[in-house]
Amino acid sequence: MRSIMRVLVSTFALWLTTLIVGGSGPRGFWVEPINDDPYSPLITMLLVALVFGLVNGTLGKLVRIVSIPLYIITLGLFGFIVNGILISVIAWLSGLAGFGLHVDGFWWGVLGAIVMSVLASIMNGLLGTNRKRKR
């Protein structure tokens, strides 16, 4: 149940990020729906959030482990670059599918990653999805 809630939180954070960073229309950071169906934007957001979770859970962990020295040297600021790279990978993967996340450039990806992580952290904190279960 917690995983489903986290995917829904990521989906909502992605939607808010496209509104904040991308604005209205295809510029900066936006999501292109699968088709013209009324529910296709929601389905597309869910699919992009799932891809985001998979890429962040696999490739993201690997990149973060390999780049530990750069994290130390830059006092954690290299994390912004890693998040921008991961957003670019997600945009590339969804572009291969013909729908999904589109980013105008690397720095738009970095800005989108920052906004999305802040929003997801706030929502996860409010909903309590980050808390450990008491056993």
Side-chain angles (χ1 to χ4, degrees), residues 12-132:
F12 191 65
L14 177 66
W15 176 68
L16 286 176
T17 302
T18 58
L19 293 178
I20 293 170
V21 176
S24 61
R27 66 175 197 275
F29 192 92
W30 75 98
V31 174
E32 185 177 315
I34 297 172
N35 53 27
D36 296 332
D37 197 27
Y39 295 109
S40 66
L42 177 63
I43 293 169
T44 306
M45 292 281 182
L46 283 169
L47 288 174
V48 171
L50 283 172
V51 170
F52 184 79
L54 290 173
V55 168
N56 203 15
T58 56
L59 183 64
K61 289 195 186 293
L62 178 69
V63 169
R64 286 182 184 98
I65 289 171
V66 169
S67 62
I68 286 175
L70 291 173
Y71 274 92
I72 293 169
I73 292 171
T74 63
L75 301 175
L77 293 176
F78 190 70
F80 294 135
I81 305 299
V82 169
N83 288 337
I85 291 169
L86 291 176
I87 290 288
S88 299
V89 167
I90 293 164
W92 175 72
L93 285 173
S94 64
L96 290 177
F99 65 91
L101 183 66
H102 294 281
V103 181
D104 270 346
F106 175 74
W107 293 110
W108 282 107
V110 171
L111 179 62
I114 291 169
V115 171
M116 187 170 167
S117 66
V118 167
L119 291 172
S121 296
I122 290 170
M123 286 186 282
N124 281 324
L126 290 174
L127 294 174
T129 54
N130 282 341
R131 293 186 196 135
K132 300 282 185 186

